[in-house]
Amino acid sequence: MKAPSLIRTALACAALAFASSGAFAADSMAGMNMQHMPSKPAAKEKPMASASATQQPVLSNAVIQQIDSATGMITLNHAALDNMGMPAMMMAFKAGEPSMLTQFHVGDKVRVRVEPVNGKATIVTLVRQ
């Protein structure tokens, strides 16, 4: 193999390795099939107005599996999240408030509400059972 051809091959391999490594480092949701989730453009998302006494947001049961303060993510083993169109599963979500990362612990049984915030599934309500 000639030197220019060897260099091109080495560069192509390095580019491929670099491009594929980002999928694993992006976040804990890399590679997840999210096709069943409703898609909304981020520009049209609005924060949820405070619920009145007669119309409370629906909360789902969950158990905290992991809390990652460095990334701000909480992994939940949760029941179906009907408002997100998600079946029961274990998945990491962005904590809506930094205090969620310190006020809860692995193993806590909780009630949770997850909503899309800036295009990312985010815990907006988290209360102990």
Side-chain angles (χ1 to χ4, degrees):
M1 192 178 259
K2 295 181 180 178
S5 180
L6 181 61
I7 292 171
R8 278 194 301 258
T9 303
L11 288 174
C13 289
L16 181 60
F18 178 75
S20 65
S21 67
F24 297 105
D27 62 32
S28 63
M29 292 174 38
M32 294 208 50
N33 181 357
M34 304 295 277
Q35 291 178 336
H36 64 277
M37 292 192 55
S39 61
K40 294 181 185 176
K44 294 190 178 200
E45 291 176 6
K46 296 179 183 174
M48 186 177 94
S50 60
S52 68
T54 58
Q55 183 184 357
Q56 294 294 321
V58 176
L59 302 179
S60 300
N61 292 328
V63 177
I64 297 176
Q65 300 296 309
Q66 182 179 8
I67 298 173
D68 187 341
S69 298
T71 62
M73 303 291 282
I74 298 176
T75 302
L76 300 172
N77 189 355
H78 63 80
L81 303 175
D82 294 333
N83 68 307
M84 296 287 287
M86 295 178 77
M89 67 176 80
M90 185 163 57
M91 186 171 164
F93 298 98
K94 187 76 177 162
E97 297 291 330
S99 62
M100 292 176 180
L101 301 168
T102 57
Q103 292 179 353
F104 294 90
H105 303 91
V106 171
D108 283 351
K109 293 180 181 181
V110 295
R111 305 268 296 146
V112 64
R113 173 83 176 183
V114 175
E115 294 184 1
V117 176
N118 296 325
K120 196 164 218 173
T122 303
I123 300 170
V124 296
T125 304
L126 189 65
V127 294
R128 279 188 184 78
Q129 288 188 13

